Each structure stands twice: as C-alpha cells, then as structure tokens.
Amino acid sequence: FHKLGAKVYVNPDGLEWKRDKWNFILKKFFKVCEKQMAKHADLLICDSLNIEKYIKEEYKKYKPNTTFIAYGSECGKANTVNKLVNWCTQKNIKRNGYYLIVGRFVPENNYETMIKEFIKSNTKKDLVIITNVEKNKFYEELKEKTNFDKDKRIKFVGTVYDKELLTQIRTNAYAYIHGHEVGGTNPSLLEALSTTKLNLLLDVGFNTEVAKAGAIYWNKEEQNLKNVINKIEKITKQEKEKYGNLSKERIKEEYNWNKIVTNYEEIF
C-alpha cells in the first residue's frame, strides 16, 4: 500500500493475542501482527482509550501515531412488546425476572465466573444467556466445571438476531452481567448501557472507561459477584433509575453515532 502511495489507517480492535480460544502458536502470530501494525500503520484509530494507551506504551520505540474514536450505540426502545411476550412465554421467562448475559461464547468473556457466582447467589430470578453453544466444546467443559444443568435458574436460550426483540429483552431484564475482558470497547456493553437500567460489569479498564458511574462493578475474586447480586436484589427503584439514567447519558454524550461519524469524517 505504501509503494502505491496510499495511507494505511487501522482500527486495532481488542487484544486478539490474549484470547483463550487461540492456542499458543496463534497467540504468538497475533502478537507479531499487532507489532507490525503498530510499526507500519500511518494511523491507529482506537475505539478504546485503554487500547490506545496500551499501544503507545507497548510499542513506544516505533512512536505509533494514534487517535481515539469510540464505537457507537443508539438509545431507543423497540416499538412493540408483542415479540417479547411470545419469546418470554416460549422460554418460560418473566419480564424483569431475569439477569441477562449477551455475548460470544468464549472463555475470555468469563462465563465460568459469572455462572458459578450466580449459582451461589440467593436470587430466585433466572440467568438468561443469549449466545451460540451449538457444537461448542466449551459448553460441555463449562457444564462439568459449574454443574449449571442442575440449577433451573440457568437458561441458555440460543441466539437472538432480531434487533427489536433483543432491545426488548435487554430493556426488560432486571440486570445485565458483562464479563468481557480483552476486547476494547464492546458493542454488547454499549447496547446494554443504552437499554438496561442496571449493569454489572467486570472491573477492567475497557469497561470502566465506557460506563464510569453508570454501572456497578465486580471482580473475579470468589464470592465477589455473588455478593453484588445479593446486594442489588434489595436495590430501590430510585437507585435503579439513577444508574439507568447515568448509563444512557454516557451513550448519548460520548458514544452516539453522529459524533463518531463526524470524528471519522474529520480524519479522512
């Protein structure tokens, strides 16, 4: 590209070499790719401040040229709840009677910790997990480690690609639990903050920079998430509204598509 006189702009996304789904050789390969990207790209457009900080520190000898432009989301409600009513009936789920997890079914999203801690909690609500577990070895490993199949509250409900339905599922969840750890700014987190009033996020820089005071944080220490769940079972309606308003404000102010598109246009 450089020989053709072109400029190369790259969005590095997350830390691919840290993902547990890859073996040692692939992790090494992705790390080499990351190094070459930092060395040769004319500009690295990071959608996470923590990713930008990491690149500047990790590859400072190459003096990488970086900037930050967030990923975006929309604050809005679906027009109808008819789909939700049918879906809840089909899955035997009550509106506002479930905790929600949405995301790719991979180890680095901390499903094991979230499920183990939820099982230990006192809540009588369900844990609804929207993900694809078909032909997935990790599913069987997780079953063996957590015995989630013996807890009727744990419900793997498959995937949902209907945007309106997914928005309603998020809006009517009691709380959303987010365990993503290595992916930069995660789209499912932005969607949760723009729709679900109460969000429980793994306490890592990628998540705290996005939600700030608009979420409750947990860590991977034993009993921690369990205690958070037990505590928010008693949360007042006013407190819940406060978190919901703060999270939506974050999306409207910093993660709205108009702002992001304008930032890209300015750079181009």
Side-chain angles (χ1 to χ4, degrees):
F1 286 132
H2 282 150
K3 284 177 182 177
L4 293 169
K7 284 187 177 179
V8 180
Y9 293 177
V10 182
N11 185 321
D13 193 43
L15 305 177
E16 197 66 26
W17 59 273
K18 270 191 157 186
R19 295 189 188 277
D20 291 331
K21 64 180 178 179
W22 304 126
N23 62 34
F24 174 77
I25 294 167
L26 280 171
K27 284 182 177 182
K28 281 282 186 189
F29 170 72
F30 283 125
K31 183 67 174 167
V32 169
C33 290
E34 182 182 273
K35 179 182 174 182
Q36 295 302 312
M37 169 192 72
K39 188 176 180 181
H40 296 293
D42 295 292
L43 178 66
L44 296 169
I45 303 174
C46 307
D47 65 21
S48 158
L49 289 167
N50 275 269
I51 289 289
E52 184 180 26
K53 182 184 174 187
Y54 160 78
I55 286 169
K56 279 187 172 295
E57 289 175 356
E58 182 77 2
Y59 303 106
K60 61 184 173 185
K61 67 179 178 180
Y62 302 129
K63 297 178 181 174
N65 185 23
T66 69
T67 191
F68 165 68
I69 302 179
Y71 191 77
S73 186
E74 299 167 355
C75 274
K77 291 187 177 180
N79 297 324
T80 175
V81 295
N82 291 344
K83 291 179 181 178
L84 178 72
V85 171
N86 295 336
W87 186 83
C88 285
T89 303
Q90 186 185 358
K91 305 295 182 184
N92 192 26
I93 295 164
K94 292 179 182 174
R95 289 166 67 179
N96 203 43
Y98 58 91
Y99 289 77
L100 180 66
I101 298 173
V102 182
R104 283 183 296 176
F105 196 59
V106 289
E108 63 268 17
N109 288 351
N110 289 294
Y111 281 94
E112 184 179 340
T113 299
M114 292 187 289
I115 290 170
K116 277 182 175 177
E117 292 294 309
F118 186 88
I119 288 170
K120 285 185 242 176
S121 75
N122 300 327
T123 183
K124 292 185 167 54
K125 297 177 179 67
D126 292 324
L127 176 61
V128 173
I129 303 171
I130 295 179
T131 191
N132 183 12
V133 297
E134 223 174 290
K135 298 176 183 175
N136 195 310
K137 289 180 184 176
F138 178 50
Y139 180 81
E140 297 303 324
E141 289 171 14
L142 204 60
K143 191 192 289 187
E144 199 174 307
K145 287 177 180 175
T146 66
N147 295 313
F148 66 73
D149 53 319
K150 295 179 173 62
D151 190 324
K152 291 180 180 177
R153 297 173 298 170
I154 312 294
K155 294 182 177 177
F156 283 88
V157 296
T159 51
V160 176
Y161 294 113
D162 182 323
K163 188 178 178 183
E164 187 177 53
L165 174 58
L166 186 57
T167 300
Q168 279 300 322
I169 294 168
R170 288 185 181 284
T171 304
N172 287 273
Y174 182 76
Y176 175 75
I177 308 177
H178 188 74
H180 292 51
E181 192 168 6
V182 299
T185 298
N186 189 265
S188 65
L189 170 58
L190 298 179
E191 289 169 14
L193 293 172
S194 65
T195 51
T196 312
K197 285 179 181 172
L198 201 53
N199 291 280
L200 315 182
L201 314 183
L202 179 61
D203 192 359
V204 294
F206 301 126
N207 298 333
T208 58
E209 75 170 75
V210 175
K212 292 199 172 174
I216 295 169
Y217 296 95
W218 54 274
N219 60 51
K220 293 195 281 185
E221 289 178 15
E222 197 170 342
Q223 307 288 325
N224 183 270
L225 179 55
K226 179 204 85 171
N227 291 336
V228 168
I229 291 169
N230 287 343
K231 188 176 178 181
I232 67 159
E233 284 286 299
K234 300 166 187 171
I235 201 167
T236 65
K237 188 178 178 183
Q238 288 76 16
E239 283 180 289
K240 200 172 181 183
E241 290 285 345
K242 181 193 81 173
Y243 279 112
N245 291 335
L246 285 171
S247 66
K248 286 179 179 63
E249 281 306 309
R250 284 291 294 158
I251 299 298
K252 286 175 185 174
E253 287 174 14
E254 300 297 333
Y255 297 91
N256 72 81
W257 282 118
N258 283 338
K259 178 181 178 179
I260 291 159
V261 169
T262 301
N263 290 342
Y264 270 107
E265 284 177 342
E266 285 172 358
I267 279 179
F268 294 150

